[in-house]
Amino acid sequence: MTRKSGRKSAGGNAERIRSQIGDRTPSLAIILGSGLGSLADELEERVMIPYAELSGWPRVGVAGHGGELAIGALAGRDVVMLKGRAHYYEHGRPDGMRTPIETLLHLGVRTLVLTNAAGSLRPSVGAGSVMLITDHIVWSGMNPLIGDEGDGRFVDLRDAYDPALCEIFRRAAAATKTMLHEGVYMWFSGPSFETPAEIRAARILGADAVGMSTVPEVILARRLGLQVAALSAITNLGAGMAEERLSHAHTQAQAERARHTLSAVLRQAVKELP
Ligand code: HPA
């Protein structure tokens, strides 16, 4: 399909996963971001598969990213959760999540929900808030499809964040009386946090949140035809917008605050998600 496709290993991985999950047939996958891995604990009768058992899957080295797959039931529905992702800043490859996403496709997944920890650019949307991503801006200048072949690489990213899925999340927020913010996510490469000047630039350019992940996965998933939605757990205000100093430990601790809100919305949404 593509130059760097992990197609073969993706098929083999899917077989391996299938052999461990009995008659479960998950069509929905959720990638858990920094500090959000414990959402996988909510899966009932879950089967855990370390990424190390799957070929072409990232070796996850960032604290707060577990590096394992959890398959089980959430609100009565079969779901695959990915605890941990590859980040561009770990190795300089924007397509580090290609094989995992191809594996999900082989497994029968058609809907991908991505979560992340992010800094907010809106003073009124502070740590502990949850934001539905409705669009993105690439600041890193990178794209996971560079080097792909064929016309399919010219992916149309209008409605990348599926409007119908966004509606489901809005309804889920209303049903659970949860405040769900919405906005544009801007992808910075990391691993250093942004400078205050970059944050001011991001605000001028129309971003509502900044982070170091998710966008390459969205592009890869859209390339493969998956329906995508994404949610940010806000862990801080952008650099220079508040007195606080930023660190990975801070991100993880604050993600915990948003976890409950995220969990409530997700539990409700999975009942309706395709
Ligand atoms: N910037 C980039 N990534 C982040 C941030 C931030 O402020 N907070 C959590 N992840």
Side-chain angles (χ1 to χ4, degrees):
M1 181 196 330
T2 58
R3 182 176 68 97
K4 288 178 281 187
S5 172
R7 202 177 183 181
K8 219 168 153 191
S9 54
N13 287 335
E15 277 310 308
R16 179 174 263 268
I17 294 166
R18 238 180 244 117
S19 72
Q20 295 189 44
I21 61 172
D23 55 7
R24 289 201 185 283
T25 52
S27 62
L28 168 67
I30 306 177
I31 300 185
L32 304 175
S34 293
L36 300 171
S38 57
L39 283 169
D41 298 343
E42 300 188 18
L43 289 176
E44 285 156 32
E45 295 172 35
R46 63 183 172 276
V47 173
M48 308 296 293
I49 304 174
Y51 288 0
E53 286 182 16
L54 302 169
S55 87
W57 280 55
R59 300 291 167 259
V60 176
V62 187
H65 296 266
E68 54 187 349
L69 204 57
I71 300 108
L74 185 69
R77 155 133 202 221
D78 291 346
V79 178
V80 187
M81 288 190 180
L82 280 72
K83 294 180 73 177
R85 51 157 56 98
H87 297 84
Y88 173 60
Y89 62 70
E90 290 172 71
H91 38 56
R93 286 194 319 277
D95 67 342
M97 290 297 285
R98 181 185 294 265
T99 302
I101 295 172
E102 287 184 352
T103 301
L104 295 175
L105 186 74
H106 278 267
L107 197 60
V109 166
R110 295 296 175 261
T111 305
L112 181 63
V113 175
L114 300 120
T115 67
N116 61 41
S120 169
L121 304 187
R122 284 199 244 148
S124 60
V125 181
S129 307
V130 176
M131 186 186 96
L132 178 69
I133 300 178
T134 53
D135 205 345
H136 74 229
I137 300 172
V138 173
W139 182 263
S140 70
M142 268 299 143
N143 192 299
L145 304 181
I146 291 174
D148 263 24
E149 291 169 356
D151 288 353
R153 70 187 137 166
F154 301 108
V155 179
D156 183 350
L157 290 181
R158 184 176 151 179
D159 294 341
Y161 302 83
D162 195 282
L165 300 190
C166 287
E167 270 306 311
I168 291 173
F169 277 104
R170 286 182 194 111
R171 278 200 294 278
T176 54
K177 298 193 170 34
T178 300
M179 181 67 208
L180 183 63
H181 300 275
E182 296 190 19
V184 174
Y185 176 92
M186 193 171 207
W187 174 36
F188 282 80
S189 76
S192 53
F193 285 98
E194 300 73 31
T195 63
E198 286 167 340
I199 291 297
R200 287 195 296 276
R203 291 176 76 174
I204 291 167
L205 289 174
D208 299 290
V210 292
M212 308 176 191
S213 68
T214 304
V215 168
E217 295 145 48
V218 170
I219 297 172
L220 287 164
R222 290 303 302 140
R223 167 80 164 103
L224 296 171
L226 297 176
Q227 266 187 296
V228 171
L231 298 153
S232 287
I234 301 297
T235 57
N236 56 278
L237 293 179
M241 291 176 64
E243 288 304 311
E244 67 193 348
R245 309 295 301 195
L246 302 181
S247 67
H248 189 60
H250 180 85
T251 298
Q252 281 180 268
Q254 296 298 316
E256 185 62 27
R257 286 176 59 186
R259 192 172 64 87
H260 302 285
T261 307
L262 204 53
S263 162
V265 177
L266 273 173
R267 276 185 167 277
Q268 180 68 22
V270 292
K271 296 178 193 163
E272 270 197 75
L273 285 169

